[in-house]
Amino acid sequence: MTDTQRPAVVIDCDPGHDDALAILLAARHLDVRAVTAVHGNAPLERTHANARRVLELGGRTDIPVAAGCDRPLVREAHFAPDVHGKSGLDGPDLPEPTMPLMDAHAVDVLIELSRSVPDLEVFAVGPLTNVAMAIRRDPGFASRVKRFRIMGGSLTFGNVTPAAEFNIWADPDAAHIVFGAGTPITMVGLNVTMQSLATPDRRDQLRATGRRTAIAFADMLDFYAIGEGQYSGLPGGALHDPMAVATLIDPTIVTTAPLNVQVETARGSVAYGMTLCDGRGLDAAFRPRGVYTQGGATTPNADVATAVDDARFWDLLFEAIASYA
Ligand code: RIB
Ligand code: CA
């Protein structure tokens, strides 16, 4: 894509190993106007530092970073040091950032960009607290944003619980606001992201480039493989967040279906934090098979990922990471 053709985006994230991949994949192909950090994989002071560490690693300190909400709207905060380490980005020997943090709060940056950038798209690959706050703070925000591309939820199973995926579970009330805002949504959930892993062969492929950034990511993904693998039993960490970015760069990589998605916000429910997707009109392979109306039809509010071409996704991601020095 040429500069004039590059869609303008902002990445709201909680770096986080897979968030780090998402940031540099987006920076390779898209016009990234800002990175906004939120609590999630690690406390906010770590996620905004890690966002800057990754941008410095990739030589993209031209992209500003803002800090957002340090806790969920209602529930208590939960972090994931068991997966991402105490720093939120354990593994590589990356220095603490020297680039400054924006003075503005991330919520104000999201709102300001929605006012100044036509057709802005928002990648939301952490808990949705910042995005929900922007929706509540400025009633026009949701209608100005062209699309929310969310890594979160699942058409099938969760990770933190059998029902709930971490980004949604970490702030279900925020997710409820976002899925009810009326903005077009692409939802990339665990049912597809767990099909794309940073396997040992892929980490070796990164190392074989001999390039500093790719080697640092191989070190990150070695740590992440242990962090996620202790729970999943899989040979590599899942490439969750960059897959949401891939949906804009090459829309043919991920297949979606328009479904109604509701978020369970009831504390005490076994499904607390679940994205309940109305997949009754899908066949066993999650392909649309017509409208199912028993019990009443629902209105789609999201394009939910149902399949992914893992090989083509990895090729896109590898090329991007290997393109950095
Ligand atoms: O459940 C996976 C999601 O939670 C990813 O965004 C990962 O970075 C964590 O935030
Ligand atoms: Ca994330």
Side-chain angles (χ1 to χ4, degrees):
M1 291 179 192
T2 63
D3 280 344
T4 52
Q5 290 170 337
R6 291 177 174 224
V9 304
V10 59
I11 308 171
D12 191 76
C13 55
D14 60 334
H17 293 68
D18 56 323
D19 305 72
L21 288 165
I23 291 169
L24 290 193
L25 174 61
R28 169 71 171 151
H29 291 279
L30 304 170
D31 178 6
V32 181
R33 295 300 179 95
V35 174
T36 52
V38 69
H39 68 89
N41 287 321
L44 177 68
E45 62 270 15
R46 290 310 313 159
T47 61
H48 71 61
N50 291 336
R52 290 179 286 151
R53 292 168 79 192
V54 169
L55 288 168
E56 288 181 344
L57 173 66
R60 291 304 307 272
T61 54
D62 58 300
I63 297 174
V65 177
C69 298
D70 67 354
R71 70 199 68 186
L73 298 184
V74 178
R75 68 161 300 168
E76 72 289 350
H78 279 270
F79 309 120
D82 50 334
V83 176
H84 296 274
K86 193 170 181 333
S87 77
L89 203 61
D90 282 17
D93 180 16
L94 286 185
E96 285 300 297
T98 56
M99 68 180 282
L101 191 61
M102 294 176 77
D103 292 334
H105 189 282
V107 173
D108 294 329
V109 170
L110 285 164
I111 291 170
E112 174 45 41
L113 285 171
S114 75
R115 291 178 184 279
S116 58
V117 179
D119 295 328
L120 179 74
E121 297 217 19
V122 176
F123 293 119
V125 296
L128 293 168
T129 315
N130 287 345
V131 178
M133 287 288 284
I135 291 167
R136 283 287 185 267
R137 183 174 169 87
D138 179 346
F141 174 74
S143 58
R144 289 193 298 267
V145 171
K146 182 177 181 182
R147 180 171 286 266
F148 294 137
R149 294 179 186 269
I150 297 169
M151 191 283 136
S154 177
L155 181 55
T156 53
F157 316 119
N159 51 11
V160 182
T161 75
E165 176 279 325
F166 177 81
N167 286 341
I168 307 300
W169 176 86
D171 196 342
D173 305 287
H176 172 76
I177 290 170
V178 175
F179 277 89
T183 307
I185 289 173
T186 297
M187 180 187 119
V188 177
L190 296 175
N191 56 292
V192 287
T193 63
M194 294 300 286
Q195 298 178 41
S196 289
L197 306 178
T199 58
D201 288 351
R202 290 177 170 180
R203 301 189 315 253
D204 290 345
Q205 196 181 351
L206 287 168
R207 278 199 180 85
T209 66
R211 298 170 78 92
R212 177 177 55 86
T213 301
I215 291 168
F217 270 94
D219 292 344
M220 273 185 227
L221 294 171
D222 282 348
F223 181 92
Y224 181 48
I226 296 166
E228 269 219 339
Q230 69 187 308
Y231 298 119
S232 68
L234 295 171
L239 300 168
H240 304 290
D241 295 343
M243 194 180 290
V245 174
T247 66
L248 178 53
I249 297 167
D250 181 348
T252 67
I253 287 176
V254 172
T255 305
T256 64
L259 302 178
N260 179 267
V261 179
Q262 299 298 313
V263 178
E264 178 56 81
T265 57
R267 296 301 296 261
S269 163
V270 290
Y272 180 64
M274 178 181 188
T275 51
L276 179 61
C277 305
D278 186 354
R280 294 177 294 173
L282 303 177
D283 67 14
F286 302 131
R287 294 179 300 242
R289 62 181 178 83
V291 177
Y292 187 101
T293 57
Q294 184 175 356
T298 57
T299 303
N301 59 342
D303 296 313
V304 177
T306 56
V308 60
D309 183 331
D310 172 51
R312 287 180 56 228
F313 170 51
W314 172 250
D315 288 346
L316 178 76
L317 182 56
F318 173 74
E319 187 284 332
I321 300 302
S323 73
Y324 292 89

